[in-house]
Amino acid sequence: MLDPWTLALSPVLFVQGKWVRLRTPKLPEAPGPRSGEQGQGPPLSLMIIGDSAAAGVGIEHQHRALTGKLAEQLQSHCRLSWQLHARSGLNTAQALHLIDAINAEAIDVVLVSLGVNDALSPVSRQRWLNQTAALTHTLRRRFQPSLILLTALPPLGAFPGLPWPLSAHLGHRANRFNRALSQWAAPQQDIGILDLTTGATLLTEHLAPDRFHPGEPVHQHWAELATAHIRPLVPSPAPDQTAP
């Protein structure tokens, strides 16, 4: 059910939403490979599932987007096999169908980037949370990951390409979605939350040219946050038994 403030502003929000969609440049997904293997050391498998941010929209190449940055940071610690399954416009319900089509066995770490397209839609917070729960259940059943990393929604209210009151409305929704996500995930040992605002300030120059998608500095920060969660899963090298 919509709150009275949102209900009263719904005609304005509808018009502004259409205006933003019309004037926002349509940037392509980052070109480059979506699977690979690199690095030395203990084996680790990584799967990234998500929306246009995970697909690297507005980034020059995949090696400069999240997947490439994360592989670069992990390759000195493990032999990483990675795969990316992402497309622009993907919401959480659609991601469930995407997972069903993935041909893969056990995966050590799954990183998820979803929620923005849900927040931009009329879906309720509780319905989105239920879909997220279904998503994590499906990931566990299909791939038995040791760790699932869920990316929190970015601060939509601070995005310079969104006019007021649309920015305030979306910022409020993103905050409510994030609070619900954190409370739901807290007791689950195999779930981590990646909050891109942790240790960083969102600046206009950190965004892609459309002033909506994350730019390369955000992808770098995103990868650093993920690496901090993933590194403890990599076994330490065995001590050299040949030393006197």
Side-chain angles (χ1 to χ4, degrees), residues 19 21 38 51 56 68 75 83 99 109 113 116 121 125 129 132 140 146-147 154 162-163 166 194 203 211 230 237 243:
W19 178 77
R21 283 191 292 272
Q38 61 195 84
D51 49 21
Q75 66 179 355
Q83 50 187 292
I99 291 169
V109 180
S113 169
V116 169
S121 79
R125 174 185 52 176
L129 193 61
T132 301
R140 291 179 179 121
S146 299
L147 177 65
L162 298 175
L166 181 62
L194 303 178
L203 302 175
R211 302 202 304 165
I230 297 171

Side-chain angles (χ1 to χ4, degrees), residues 126-146:
Q126 188 58 53
R127 183 171 179 80
W128 172 73
L129 193 61
N130 291 343
Q131 291 169 345
T132 301
L135 182 83
T136 57
H137 174 76
T138 302
L139 290 173
R140 291 179 179 121
R141 176 176 56 81
R142 285 289 314 280
F143 309 118
Q144 301 86 50
S146 299

Side-chain angles (χ1 to χ4, degrees), residues 51-175:
D51 49 21
S52 54
V57 163
I59 303 297
E60 182 179 317
H61 193 274
Q62 286 294 345
H63 74 262
R64 303 182 72 170
L66 170 65
T67 305
K69 298 284 190 183
L70 191 48
E72 180 182 22
Q73 293 183 31
L74 291 172
Q75 66 179 355
S76 61
H77 305 288
C78 61
R79 186 172 75 256
L80 180 70
S81 60
W82 54 269
Q83 50 187 292
L84 169 66
H85 301 275
R87 69 168 185 262
S88 297
L90 193 73
N91 62 30
T92 305
Q94 293 166 341
L96 284 165
H97 299 292
L98 180 147
I99 291 169
D100 286 337
I102 295 174
N103 182 20
E105 297 181 355
I107 299 291
D108 295 313
V109 180
V110 179
L111 192 158
V112 178
S113 169
L114 292 166
V116 169
N117 291 311
D118 298 277
L120 297 177
S121 79
V123 69
S124 70
R125 174 185 52 176
Q126 188 58 53
R127 183 171 179 80
W128 172 73
L129 193 61
N130 291 343
Q131 291 169 345
T132 301
L135 182 83
T136 57
H137 174 76
T138 302
L139 290 173
R140 291 179 179 121
R141 176 176 56 81
R142 285 289 314 280
F143 309 118
Q144 301 86 50
S146 299
L147 177 65
I148 299 173
L149 295 174
L150 303 176
T151 306
L153 275 69
L156 296 176
F159 280 25
L162 298 175
W164 190 91
L166 181 62
S167 59
H169 167 68
L170 292 178
H172 177 64
R173 270 178 68 79
N175 289 338

